[in-house]
Amino acid sequence: MNLPNMIKTIFFTLLLFLSAGFGVFGQNSAKIEGKVTDATSNEPLPFVNIIIKGTNIGTTSDLEGNFTFTGLAPGFVTLQASFVGYEMGFSPEIQLTNANTSYVELKLTSKDTQIQEVVVKASPFRKTEESPVSLTRIGVSEIE
């Protein structure tokens, strides 16, 4: 093998290894975007906790109810959303691919919770101690 052919072989081998490396780094580039709204009023819900079910990957929605997940592995996922005063919401199963961004709208239903009534009563037997200073007058002669 002569020198120019050997250089070409090394160059193409190096190019093959570099292109294979970029393919490995591009594996986790799936993206999900979405919006969380109230199911009845269609108002956006800010600061909702959204996680990928079965993982510890999560985010929160912004003031307009929008959220984004980036750097995800391709596959099927389900989102789980929770917010105080609302029932937990789940998305349908979403297929993630590196080719496009998935968009999801989550609608949460408000939860009606009732609390028992609270009654506050003053005890007739409890006396508050009063400060004796407020009951005593001190004259100028006593101060001097």
Side-chain angles (χ1 to χ4, degrees), residues 7 17 22 29 35 63 71 84 94 109 122 136:
I7 292 174
F17 282 127
F22 285 123
S29 62
K35 186 169 187 168
L63 290 172
V84 175
I94 306 161
T109 307
T136 308

Side-chain angles (χ1 to χ4, degrees), residues 55-97:
T55 69
N56 59 359
I57 300 169
T59 189
T60 58
S61 61
D62 63 10
L63 290 172
E64 288 83 35
N66 299 314
F67 64 90
T68 304
F69 285 98
T70 56
L72 301 174
F76 291 93
V77 296
T78 301
L79 299 182
Q80 177 180 344
S82 61
F83 193 53
V84 175
Y86 286 82
E87 293 180 8
M88 192 170 296
F90 295 95
S91 72
E93 197 169 49
I94 306 161
Q95 182 179 8
L96 300 179
T97 63

